[in-house]
Amino acid sequence: MRPDAAALVAPAVGRDRVIAFDKRGGAAGVAGIVRTARAVREAGFDAAIAVQRSLRTALVLALAGVPRRIGFAGAPGAPFYHRRVVASGRHARDRLLSLVEGLDVPRPDPPPDPRLVVDPAASRAVATLLSEAGLAPSDRLLVVAPGSAWATKRWPAQRFGSLARALAPEFDAVAIVGAGGDAALAAAVVRGLSAGGGKTPLAIDLCGRTDTAGLVAAIERSGLVVANDSAAGHVAGALGRPVVSLFGPTVPAFGFAPIGPRVRVVERDLECRPCARHGGDACPIRTHACMESIEVAQVAAAAREALADPGPGIPAAGGVAARRTSGDRP
Ligand code: SF4
């Protein structure tokens, strides 16, 4: 696994081992493929399921001599697999589960939801960070994630702050999570938080101050997560936290919406959506209406719905849908 993904999985594997494969770092190039293949060979696997479609992963598994290799039909690495499975299902979770058929194991029905285990050390470190920032153990924490790798997938950051203020009756503090490069977004969130009357929740900027395990721990501590279509929403869903996920240029029908019992998706009904498979750096029609037209009040309503007892989706007014997501109904 990629090192950042390995950090997500490591606490759950117990006595098993995660082999990190940093294709852009220490495992780059042919030498990296050979080195990783050696580590896989030494681990002595009986079978391998390649969830990556990549040729590089297939090469690693073939060079390692894993005797039973399973992957997706049509993938670039498919010639190196012993069994090629045709992916089926609408959500990515279901398509990945197709691969167990390559082991002659029936697909679990209903499919299990993703699940994450929190690293206790990360949990302690995040508790210390939050405490030093002024959060009391009984304080209710909202987590917002204003970042995304793609500019078009970002809801205006200031609105996350306005949202936190709107949700002040429900929360005492808001933690802003993201990478170190999200500092400007975090500052915009704080500006949004400062504007207007009423109670102002405590703002805690965690951008760049947690690693992946720390992000999981911070979300585990939260009572609600509001995020763009990005990693934080998936983590929150897998932890069973209430989460509101904001979709713009992409759509849940692509199969990548967070899964969880208390997930709500907010999205605008526009003819130009979707305009990209993964998002983009600039809106092709220069309006960015998909995100700009999502109002704070609508996200706050979805948040309150997620906080309440989960139930069937409720279409919101104004062409913005707030609905519960599950893997079989993207
Ligand atoms: S074209 Fe539409 S969906 Fe794409 S970024 Fe612009 S407003 Fe959003």
Side-chain angles (χ1 to χ4, degrees):
M1 306 189 77
R2 268 176 19 194
D4 51 346
L8 284 175
V9 172
V13 300
R15 294 173 59 183
D16 288 340
R17 192 159 65 97
V18 178
I19 300 173
F21 181 32
D22 188 2
K23 67 180 182 184
R24 294 197 179 86
V30 175
I33 289 175
V34 171
R35 224 176 10 257
T36 309
R38 195 177 302 132
V40 173
R41 180 185 290 274
E42 285 167 4
F45 292 106
D46 300 309
I49 298 177
V51 299
Q52 295 281 357
R53 293 172 177 268
S54 82
L55 178 60
R56 182 194 300 257
T57 301
L59 275 173
V60 165
L61 299 176
L63 282 173
V66 180
R68 223 172 149 195
R69 300 187 294 275
I70 297 145
F72 285 117
F80 296 97
Y81 306 146
H82 300 106
R83 291 280 296 272
R84 298 168 195 95
V85 177
V86 177
S88 61
R90 284 162 54 178
H91 196 279
R93 179 266 315 265
D94 303 326
R95 294 196 286 267
L96 290 171
L97 279 172
S98 310
L99 289 167
V100 301
E101 291 166 6
L103 287 169
D104 297 318
V105 173
R107 275 165 82 140
D109 185 23
D113 283 350
R115 192 176 61 87
L116 280 175
V117 175
V118 184
D119 176 7
S123 196
R124 286 192 295 275
V126 163
T128 302
L129 269 179
L130 294 172
S131 166
E132 287 172 356
L135 190 79
S138 60
D139 282 347
R140 298 158 303 168
L141 181 67
L142 165 69
V143 164
V144 297
S148 164
W150 300 106
T152 52
K153 289 173 75 173
R154 294 182 205 136
W155 195 40
Q158 201 158 334
R159 290 191 204 170
F160 283 96
S162 305
L163 175 73
R165 180 176 278 278
L167 293 175
E170 284 90 358
F171 294 99
D172 304 297
V174 54
I176 308 153
V177 297
D182 291 332
L185 296 175
V189 174
V190 173
R191 280 200 300 282
L193 195 62
S194 311
K199 175 186 162 192
T200 304
L202 171 72
I204 305 172
D205 181 4
L206 293 180
C207 290
R209 299 177 70 197
T210 63
D211 56 12
T212 307
L215 170 72
V216 175
I219 288 174
E220 211 259 345
R221 168 65 178 82
S222 74
L224 171 74
V225 173
V226 181
N228 300 317
D229 172 24
S230 62
H234 294 282
V235 169
L239 290 171
R241 286 286 169 274
V243 50
V244 179
S245 185
L246 311 176
F247 275 68
T250 58
V251 290
F254 286 164
F256 299 105
I259 293 176
R262 304 174 78 185
V263 173
R264 295 295 184 279
V265 166
V266 175
E267 57 184 337
R268 195 78 171 86
D269 185 13
L270 297 174
E271 280 193 6
C272 57
R273 296 185 62 236
C275 71
R277 183 85 186 146
H278 300 292
D281 288 327
C283 168
I285 59 171
R286 299 183 185 180
T287 65
H288 200 208
C290 57
M291 292 307 245
E292 294 280 348
S293 64
I294 294 176
E295 299 294 341
V296 169
Q298 290 153 338
V299 180
R304 292 196 178 99
E305 189 190 312
L307 287 166
D309 199 22
I314 300 171
V320 176
R323 66 167 188 264
R324 182 168 185 263
T325 61
S326 69
D328 57 357
R329 196 183 59 189

